[in-house]
Amino acid sequence: MDFLNAIVALANYVLIPGLAYGSQLALGALGVTLIYGILRFSNFAHGDTMAFGAMVTILVTWWFQSLGISIAPLPTALLAIPFGILATAALLLATDRVVYRFYRRVKAKPVVLVMASLGVMFIMNGIVRFVIGPDDQRFADGARFIIKARDFKAWTGLSEGLALRTSQVITIVTAVVVVAVLFWFLNRTRTGKSMRAFSDNEDLALLSGINPERVVMYTWLIVAALVTVAGVLYGLDKSFKPFTYFQLLLPIFASAIVGGLGNPLGAIAGGFVIAFSEVTVTYAWKKVLTYLLPADWAPDGLVQLLSTDYKFAVSFAILVVVLLIKPTGLFKGQAV
Amino acid sequence: MSVNWKNVSLFAIVAGLLVLVGVIQSANVALALLNIGLISAIMALGVNLQWGYAGLFNVGIMGFVALGGLATVLTSMPPVVEAWQAGGARVIAALLLGAGVIAAAVQAFKRLAGRVRTLAMLAILVGGFFAYRWLLDPAVAAIEAVSPASTGYLGGAGLPILIAWPVGALFAAGAAWAIGKTALGLRSDYLAIATLGIAEIIIAVLKNEDWLARGVKNVVGLPRPWPVPKEIDLQNSPSFVSRAEGWGLDPVTASSITVKLAYAGLFAAVLLVLIWMAERALNSPWGRMMRAIRDNEEAAEAMGKDVTGRHLQVFVIGAAICGLAGAMLTTLDGQFTPGTYQPLRFTFLIWVMVIVGGSGNNWGAVLGAFVIWFFWVEVEPIGNWLMGWLTAGMADDNPVKLHLLDSVAHMRLLTMGVILLLVLRFSPRGLIPEK
């Protein structure tokens, strides 16, 4: 019985949150990795683009809510996501036209593009704060739980409850669908194949008649979708605050680099590696250990390896180790 | 050397703007602008060394600045004897153990191979981590329990605060060395990402490790540096009061102006020394080598230059200058407040200064620092005035008007981003280009 309780506690506090967070990071890292593969720079504006997509979605959600449109028990935000994607796509294409295209033409060093993305980050951050303000916004509605902790206890007779929030399930399901569609697109369609060709060898791709501007446009469109979905899912699961999206930049970069920059499969793996390390290291293991160990071995403290304030240190430490030992990442990305 | 009148007039314009602020707002405001401008100029010099000389992209300036701030606390505050007795020795032991564990892991990585290496490193790191926490945690609890409202930390060394400035530079240099060792020699993007990360972590440590510098409870009442008097002493000195009245100023304003002027003299001296050193370095064989590496790494490597080694060197020096500036800033504030370190203010603003001023040119970086700092401070009143004018026709309770007035503060980010992009695109060499 204690063993079962330990498993349930582990699932409740580590497995499910880790899966949800990992899916969000994976979606974010996919965007970073695609931009890196095709446009060949690390996009520092990524976190704030997520915030922008989520913001538009939130505004549309509020509008739907005021009209009384809903798809209860699912959150209304799911209905608003397409509008968020459209707005983000428009913004990204406009940024590319105004900012990045010039540097591509003059074949600027990647670091100049990175710096330009820093400027874009500033502007997007300003827009988001200007429109919706710097504070926390709540926009989740519909059923909060699929399984409630109390129901679970009554149902199984265990003393440990398992709570499954709607947002967590939606996150995982959506991430699986989005990733499946993305890989189908990259591997099966003509445009997807040309994107991969361009990413693998730019010169050969140009030689075989692939239009680079078209490839770049599709990349931004896909990134807009990924970024908006990731931003909305994160907002549903936790809450929407512009500054936290900026802070997500570090774990997202870490995920992309751990998996190997430019490698989509690696980005997904990296997202889960980072998420689970973060959750396990900052989780207080007292409960699980108390169930598993004999009574007189039970720990006194919380058995928390690091306080949650240091969760970014975890992704950073992993990043440093990967850079030191295997800079191309677990799945052999393109960059050294 | 011929005088470059364009550059001189650019500096004259900045000086004129400051005088204008002095006349319109007040001398105090103008001097406060000048003081932070001087410190920003030092930070910009450090970043210019990294970017302008070597093309290294450091996105963690905030972290190095904060380390400088930490140095002021650790150097100048009086030691808390009770806290040292409660857990000082144990904390030192824990820190030494932590360093030893990392050194052992590095040795294991270098000397062993294959699966043995992985297992040995895991064992060292995991075991070391638990031993470290076992040593550190009780000591931290004991230290933080010593009158938590006023101290609750170890305190500093009780030395004059001027000593903290080079110490701050050393702290920042140490952190930069560790980061440079990891990320230099790889793609340029990786250094940017690694510095972004280290800055976040330094701030997290400063906010949460209360035993070190009281975390978000802040350390207030840092001592004044040597030549700078205290306002209250001046106001109580009859000779000063009579002199102030001779100038037709009330003693309170006069004292605060005097203090700010003393700081300005101190900062200007540091800035001038640094500019002189940076100019000498730029025009020496070393400076030419750095630029040669920046412009063509392969060619420089073919000539036998150690590119990664030189990069590490210049990265550490640049970070040290940022640390020095951070210590000066905290000295000026008279308090250490980890909560105020914002990446937008301390990293990206400095970048805008360097890019706008002219990357690769020390005078350009200094000019950019003054110009951008001036706009950063003055955009808000101008924005307020603009929004007030725009919304003048609306009713006072109009939600759009209220929202617009609330959002003025965020206009700064937008303005800075637009300035950065415009300069990068249309005038990438900045106001005073590299020769």
Side-chain angles (χ1 to χ4, degrees):
Chain A
M1 217 45 164
D2 274 355
F3 183 67
L4 281 182
N5 272 324
I7 288 182
V8 170
L10 196 67
N12 195 16
Y13 294 108
V14 176
L15 276 180
I16 296 174
L19 270 178
Y21 183 42
S23 318
Q24 292 149 7
L25 283 186
L27 290 177
L30 271 175
V32 165
T33 248
L34 277 181
I35 295 179
Y36 188 87
I38 307 285
L39 292 129
R40 309 211 193 295
F41 74 97
S42 311
N43 181 16
F44 271 70
H46 206 74
D48 285 292
T49 320
M50 270 169 79
F52 180 85
M55 177 193 75
V56 175
T57 310
I58 290 174
L59 293 178
V60 176
T61 307
W62 284 344
W63 181 54
F64 280 167
Q65 284 170 345
S66 71
L67 291 179
I69 301 174
S70 94
I71 44 170
L74 294 174
T76 320
L78 288 185
L79 214 56
I81 281 184
F83 296 91
I85 293 178
L86 280 180
T88 314
L91 178 77
L92 285 178
L93 288 179
T95 332
D96 184 66
R97 188 70 197 270
V98 179
V99 182
Y100 300 126
R101 197 171 70 168
F102 168 78
Y103 298 105
R104 270 205 304 283
R105 290 262 161 88
V106 301
K107 297 215 182 307
K109 284 184 188 169
V111 79
V112 177
L113 277 157
V114 175
M115 195 173 286
S117 79
L118 208 67
V120 172
M121 182 191 91
F122 254 121
I123 295 178
M124 285 188 182
N125 197 314
I127 294 175
V128 170
R129 287 178 192 220
F130 190 77
V131 174
I132 206 165
D135 304 321
D136 255 314
Q137 308 288 346
R138 292 202 52 83
F139 62 103
D141 54 4
R144 250 176 82 68
F145 289 100
I146 291 179
I147 305 174
K148 281 186 184 157
R150 198 185 321 143
D151 295 348
F152 183 84
K153 279 188 214 167
W155 184 45
T156 57
L158 291 170
S159 59
E160 197 56 44
L162 181 80
L164 194 57
R165 281 189 284 137
T166 322
S167 61
Q168 290 167 330
V169 176
I170 290 178
T171 299
I172 296 165
V173 171
T174 317
V176 169
V177 171
V178 168
V179 167
V181 171
L182 178 70
F183 277 85
W184 170 82
F185 177 82
L186 286 178
N187 290 319
R188 293 273 179 268
T189 64
R190 210 181 146 70
T191 319
K193 284 178 186 165
S194 64
M195 279 175 67
R196 285 193 301 139
F198 190 84
S199 163
D200 283 346
N201 190 328
E202 193 176 338
D203 293 333
L204 278 184
L206 291 177
L207 205 62
S208 53
I210 289 172
N211 177 0
E213 288 303 312
R214 222 176 98 87
V215 168
V216 166
M217 187 188 79
Y218 275 104
T219 310
W220 284 121
L221 290 178
I222 295 171
V223 167
L226 287 171
V227 146
T228 311
V229 171
V232 171
L233 291 179
Y234 188 84
L236 277 177
D237 194 24
K238 275 123 189 166
S239 77
F240 175 85
K241 191 177 179 195
F243 191 65
T244 49
Y245 282 81
F246 163 75
Q247 287 187 315
L248 272 182
L249 203 56
L250 185 60
I252 286 178
F253 271 139
S255 310
I257 292 178
V258 166
L261 264 181
N263 182 330
L265 205 62
I268 298 170
F272 285 104
V273 168
I274 297 285
F276 275 107
S277 330
E278 233 176 65
V279 175
T280 42
V281 172
T282 55
Y283 173 62
W285 287 89
K286 182 183 167 82
K287 206 172 212 172
V288 174
L289 290 180
T290 317
Y291 282 125
L292 286 181
L293 299 172
D296 45 339
W297 284 25
D300 302 323
L302 289 168
V303 206
Q304 188 183 19
L305 297 182
L306 275 180
S307 88
T308 43
D309 301 308
Y310 289 132
K311 60 179 181 194
F312 294 115
V314 179
S315 32
F316 184 72
I318 296 173
L319 176 71
V320 166
V321 169
V322 168
L323 285 187
L324 283 174
I325 296 177
K326 206 164 186 288
T328 45
L330 301 175
F331 285 74
K332 244 191 157 2
Q334 336 169 304
V336 177
Chain B
M1 197 177 96
S2 67
V3 178
N4 184 333
W5 289 109
K6 182 198 149 209
N7 296 350
V8 172
S9 54
L10 280 172
F11 274 98
I13 291 173
V14 171
L17 283 175
L18 281 174
V19 172
L20 203 67
V21 170
V23 174
I24 295 179
Q25 287 177 299
S26 79
N28 257 322
V29 175
L31 281 173
L33 255 172
L34 173 70
N35 278 338
I36 309 266
L38 285 166
I39 292 175
S40 306
I42 294 175
M43 292 181 196
L45 267 184
V47 175
N48 184 38
L49 216 59
Q50 296 173 338
W51 170 247
Y53 289 25
L56 301 176
F57 192 28
N58 169 8
V59 196
I61 304 165
M62 169 182 73
F64 301 120
V65 169
L67 279 178
L70 174 69
T72 57
V73 173
L74 295 189
T75 314
S76 72
M77 288 307 277
V80 181
V81 179
E82 235 180 302
W84 274 101
Q85 282 164 352
R90 204 166 168 152
V91 163
I92 300 286
L95 293 180
L96 287 178
L97 177 81
V101 166
I102 290 173
V106 170
Q107 284 305 317
F109 180 74
K110 278 188 184 155
R111 302 217 170 153
L112 301 171
R115 188 164 295 170
V116 184
R117 175 165 86 177
T118 320
L119 287 177
M121 280 183 66
L122 264 182
I124 293 172
L125 288 175
V126 173
F129 181 77
F130 280 101
Y132 167 77
R133 287 290 298 265
W134 173 79
L135 262 177
L136 186 72
D137 286 359
V140 166
I143 290 169
E144 288 174 6
V146 178
S147 53
S150 57
T151 56
Y153 76 124
L154 284 174
L159 296 168
I161 200 164
L162 279 182
I163 294 177
W165 296 7
V167 172
L170 271 181
F171 281 13
W177 183 82
I179 285 297
K181 266 290 188 199
T182 327
L184 284 172
L186 302 172
R187 267 191 64 100
S188 49
D189 305 30
Y190 285 179
L191 181 70
I193 295 167
T195 46
L196 177 84
I198 193 75
E200 291 285 325
I201 288 163
I202 289 173
I203 300 300
V205 169
L206 293 182
K207 276 184 181 166
N208 293 300
E209 297 302 314
D210 287 11
W211 59 271
L212 185 65
R214 281 170 57 76
V216 285
K217 290 186 286 183
N218 303 339
V219 176
V220 295
L222 290 171
R224 281 275 158 91
W226 149 72
V228 183
K230 282 193 172 151
E231 284 91 342
I232 194 76
D233 294 340
L234 289 178
Q235 288 159 28
N236 289 338
S237 129
S239 66
F240 179 81
V241 172
S242 65
R243 232 182 313 151
E245 274 158 3
W247 297 328
L249 290 168
D250 73 298
V252 176
T253 320
S255 67
S256 106
I257 288 177
T258 315
V259 167
K260 288 204 173 77
L261 275 175
Y263 271 126
L266 211 55
F267 295 160
V270 175
L271 178 61
L272 286 176
V273 169
L274 284 175
I275 290 185
W276 179 75
M277 281 165 50
E279 281 290 300
R280 287 295 299 261
L282 188 64
N283 295 318
S284 67
W286 182 82
R288 284 190 283 278
M289 173 185 65
M290 292 315 300
R291 277 172 289 158
I293 291 176
R294 179 194 64 190
D295 294 338
N296 191 337
E297 281 187 22
E298 274 105 32
E301 204 145 29
M303 299 299 291
K305 303 297 177 200
D306 174 10
V307 172
T308 311
R310 294 306 110 191
H311 276 172
L312 183 63
Q313 186 184 33
V314 80
F315 183 66
V316 168
I317 298 175
I321 295 179
C322 291
L324 172 74
M328 292 164 67
L329 184 69
T330 310
T331 310
L332 175 69
D333 289 343
Q335 54 181 350
F336 179 61
T337 48
T340 54
Y341 289 105
Q342 296 287 339
L344 294 170
R345 158 75 181 84
F346 284 99
T347 297
F348 303 123
L349 196 63
I350 309 296
W351 269 107
V352 179
M353 291 170 178
V354 173
I355 300 294
V356 169
S359 40
N361 187 314
N362 294 316
W363 290 104
V366 172
L367 179 76
F370 280 108
V371 171
I372 293 302
W373 180 248
F374 181 82
F375 280 110
W376 181 255
V377 173
E378 296 293 331
V379 153
E380 196 148 0
I382 296 173
N384 268 325
W385 172 82
L386 197 70
M387 281 299 173
W389 178 75
L390 268 180
T391 56
M394 300 184 196
D396 274 345
D397 54 348
N398 185 329
V400 175
K401 174 173 184 170
L402 292 177
H403 182 79
L404 282 178
L405 288 178
D406 269 354
S407 311
V408 172
H410 312 308
M411 288 298 289
R412 281 172 161 189
L413 299 174
L414 213 74
T415 324
M416 288 301 144
V418 171
I419 291 179
L420 179 68
L421 286 181
L422 286 179
V423 174
L424 207 58
R425 167 77 167 79
F426 294 106
S427 167
R429 286 151 63 79
L431 287 173
I432 306 183
E434 188 183 345
K435 279 176 221 103

